[in-house]
Amino acid sequence: MPPKGKVMHEAYKVEAGQFSFTALESGNYITCITAIDHKPETTLTIDFDWKSGVLSNQWSTVAKKSQVVMMEFQVKNLMDTVHSIHEEMFYLREREEEMQELNRSTNSKMAWLSFVSLGFCLSVAGLQFWHLRTFFEKKKLI
């Protein structure tokens, strides 16, 4: 009997057989076996094979076709998701390589621009120095 008292299996005048059930609720289950009025007296042999957790599931007998189809659909959906993620990762790797190349190119262009700018500033400073020197020499201040 399950914890809420509902009888899971009941059989009369059974000489041999097997019985199994899957517990839908947790708790203590009670098993009662009686052998009433055996004439002549006989030996009664009972073998129990209690399984719980993952070991208790016999998937070949539990799975129904609708459940298998539903699981197959979910697995296909997950596989599509995995392929999509895989393709996205390759795309992101390609974009990262392109961005690194763009960064290197921009960095080298900025280095050349910096040197050209420095050269221009030094040449303007030299021209200003030359102009001021000639101006002051003409004015006879130097």
Side-chain angles (χ1 to χ4, degrees):
M1 270 198 204
K4 297 217 172 149
K6 181 182 173 190
V7 176
M8 299 293 288
H9 177 72
E10 192 171 349
Y12 296 100
K13 298 182 182 178
V14 176
E15 294 182 15
Q18 292 183 346
F19 171 71
S20 67
F21 72 95
T22 303
L24 300 175
E25 53 188 276
S26 62
N28 295 325
Y29 285 77
I30 300 170
T31 303
C32 297
I33 299 171
T34 57
I36 302 173
D37 296 328
H38 275 284
K39 293 189 181 161
E41 286 190 18
T42 181
T43 302
L44 184 62
T45 304
I46 301 171
D47 293 324
F48 285 101
D49 187 14
W50 294 95
K51 295 180 184 177
S52 64
V54 175
L55 298 175
S56 65
N57 291 332
Q58 296 175 350
W59 296 110
S60 60
T61 59
V62 172
K64 295 177 183 162
K65 187 174 181 177
S66 63
Q67 292 173 333
V68 172
V69 169
M70 187 65 151
M71 282 193 283
E72 183 180 357
F73 174 73
Q74 289 176 349
V75 167
K76 285 181 181 179
N77 190 9
L78 289 173
M79 286 300 292
D80 288 343
T81 304
V82 167
H83 287 299
S84 174
I85 291 170
H86 193 69
E87 289 173 4
E88 184 73 19
M89 290 297 293
F90 279 123
Y91 172 73
L92 289 175
R93 284 183 188 168
E94 290 174 9
R95 292 286 295 151
E96 180 186 11
E97 289 174 9
E98 291 173 6
M99 294 305 252
Q100 286 179 355
E101 185 58 37
L102 179 66
N103 285 338
R104 285 187 208 105
S105 172
T106 304
N107 191 21
S108 66
K109 289 176 184 175
M110 288 303 293
W112 280 108
L113 182 66
S114 297
F115 287 125
V116 169
S117 176
L118 179 64
F120 183 75
C121 287
L122 290 176
S123 64
V124 168
L127 283 172
Q128 285 178 345
F129 181 73
W130 174 77
H131 176 68
L132 287 173
R133 191 171 123 199
T134 56
F135 174 76
F136 287 128
E137 284 177 355
K138 284 182 184 177
K139 295 286 183 180
K140 296 185 182 184
L141 294 173
I142 299 183

